[in-house]
Amino acid sequence: MAKILLGFIIVLAAIAVATMAEGCDKDREDMIRECKKYEMFPATPKIDPSPACCTVWKRADIPCLCKRVTKEVEKEWCMEKVIYVAKYCGKPFNPGYKCGMATMAEGCDKDREDMIRECKKYEMFPATPKIDPSPACCAVWKRADIPCLCKRVTKEVEKEWCMEKVIYVAKYCGKPFNPGYKCGSK
């Protein structure tokens, strides 16, 4: 009986190992099929990925996939676009995370620059009038790391940026703050 039980455990372990390996293989195949066109060179333009690509990103075993990113892979796949797609799909890399040869940058500097370039004119004082933001501004709002940006809102920033307008723009762009969410002192 003990030998049968031991044999059964060994078979289960072998199945588990095979399934884990296949899972990453399937993620790789799905990533190639659904996301490759959004993540290949040249680095520009960056195109918002399809819902199917985002579905793959959200369920994929990213650590397993990143272990397979070699220098050869990075000659085809643009890591800057990979980072963009990951962020757009709501599964951004953590700062300092290593995927292939790329190490993810700290913070949200790029989001901050994009927000200043595309949204500043809609979010500055005076508090009125509130102007509907441009599609480009809304695109920044939809992909930006808002919690990271909000951590950088100081009293000095609030002297220039009207938080009432920031809240208005966020809501207009379809990414409103949750009740009670703190961004700066608001």
Side-chain angles (χ1 to χ4, degrees), residues 53-97:
C53 175
C54 286
T55 299
V56 169
W57 260 101
K58 288 176 181 174
R59 70 162 168 65
D61 182 350
I62 301 302
C64 177
L65 291 172
C66 282
K67 288 177 186 170
R68 296 178 173 201
V69 177
T70 63
K71 288 180 182 179
E72 295 306 310
V73 169
E74 287 189 34
K75 288 178 182 175
E76 284 187 57
W77 292 69
C78 174
M79 293 309 289
E80 190 177 321
K81 282 186 171 181
V82 169
I83 293 165
Y84 173 80
V85 169
K87 189 181 221 179
Y88 182 93
C89 292
K91 195 173 179 181
F93 293 99
N94 290 325
Y97 187 83

Side-chain angles (χ1 to χ4, degrees), residues 100-143:
M101 300 304 290
T103 301
M104 305 310 139
E106 297 292 326
C108 47
D109 292 336
K110 176 87 170 78
D111 290 341
R112 182 181 166 279
E113 292 167 13
D114 292 346
M115 192 69 72
I116 290 168
R117 186 182 62 253
E118 298 297 341
C119 300
K120 185 175 183 177
K121 60 187 162 214
Y122 306 107
E123 298 174 350
M124 302 297 289
F125 281 104
T128 57
K130 290 184 178 73
I131 301 167
D132 294 347
S134 67
C137 175
C138 285
V140 170
W141 264 97
K142 288 177 182 173
R143 73 173 181 271

